[in-house]
Amino acid sequence: MRKNNLTFWLFLTPALLSLTLVIIVPLVLGTYYSFTDWNGVGSYSFIVFSNYTKLFADDTFKSALWFTIKFSIVTVISLNVLGLGLAMLVTQKLKVSNTLRTVFFMPNLIGGLILGFIWQFIFVRVFSSIGEAVGMDSLVGWLSTTTTGFWGLVILTCWQMGGYIMIIYIAYLQNVPNELMEAADIDGASAIQKFRFITFPLIAPAFTVSMFLTLSNSFKVYDQNLSLTNGGPYNSTEMLAMNIVKTAFVNNDMSYGQAKSLIFFVIVAIISLTQVYYNKKREVEM
């Protein structure tokens, strides 16, 4: 027993050490500095809740938060619909199913910055060329407005993560018993009825996992935002992660940036945990 416990802790120690140094220590230090006026270089003094009260009057922070919330809602819905649709497509008995799985998953292997520059070229150059050729002014200057910049970010994120979410749904779809489907066919159930009453309840855990991943990832988007729009025009497409980075590293206001990031952490944690609790409860009811 002692030997097993020693082996257990030996294997667990590197993970605990990494978690402590990378997550817990920075969180504690960041919380401490958020109550100061530290600029990252010189001395500092305690200003208690001044950084947090300043948030309520910060229009750029509120604008970035609202833009991030809208982006997250649209992206979570789009990604889960897209991922489930792709998963149902590649789990059919098609000769090219394995090839399609590879093709759909490949964008997830490309870094966010590179993807942003690729799609920036598509939106700016390709869309403009097509718009000028067919006479559609709406395709010209695609990233020059807030609305088109918003949808550009949504398209980029869905294109990158759609294949990853597809893999999660595939894992659960392949565990749906064939006997239930055969019994439903004998009873004369339609494809919609089979999906609603058999497939959907059995893959409910996949929705919990996928919604958690898409929700947390949507709130934390930074590199795609940086390379695609850089927050423009006039910071109207600036997401919360970019707003925090600019506050801390561009304006050299580390303590205020840390206060923003702590509020950001609390918001994401509350939304994510609420979503997991609600979905887990639905799994039991199903």
Side-chain angles (χ1 to χ4, degrees), residues 244-273:
I244 293 171
V245 171
K246 285 184 177 180
T247 301
F249 298 101
V250 177
N251 301 333
N252 291 325
D253 197 346
M254 293 291 181
S255 59
Y256 186 41
Q258 184 56 50
K260 287 183 176 182
S261 64
L262 194 62
I263 295 297
F264 185 31
F265 168 75
V266 172
I267 292 173
V268 174
I270 291 174
I271 294 176
S272 299
L273 293 176

Side-chain angles (χ1 to χ4, degrees), residues 185-236:
D185 289 332
I186 294 173
D187 290 338
S190 64
I192 296 177
Q193 290 174 325
K194 287 190 291 184
F195 176 80
R196 178 181 177 184
F197 296 107
I198 299 176
T199 304
F200 185 79
L202 291 177
I203 66 171
F207 282 97
T208 303
V209 175
S210 298
M211 287 191 67
F212 174 79
L213 292 174
T214 53
L215 188 62
S216 58
N217 182 78
S218 298
F219 268 93
K220 296 183 295 183
V221 166
Y222 172 73
D223 44 359
Q224 298 94 326
N225 190 196
L226 175 66
S227 56
L228 188 64
T229 66
N230 196 24
Y234 304 107
N235 297 326
S236 61

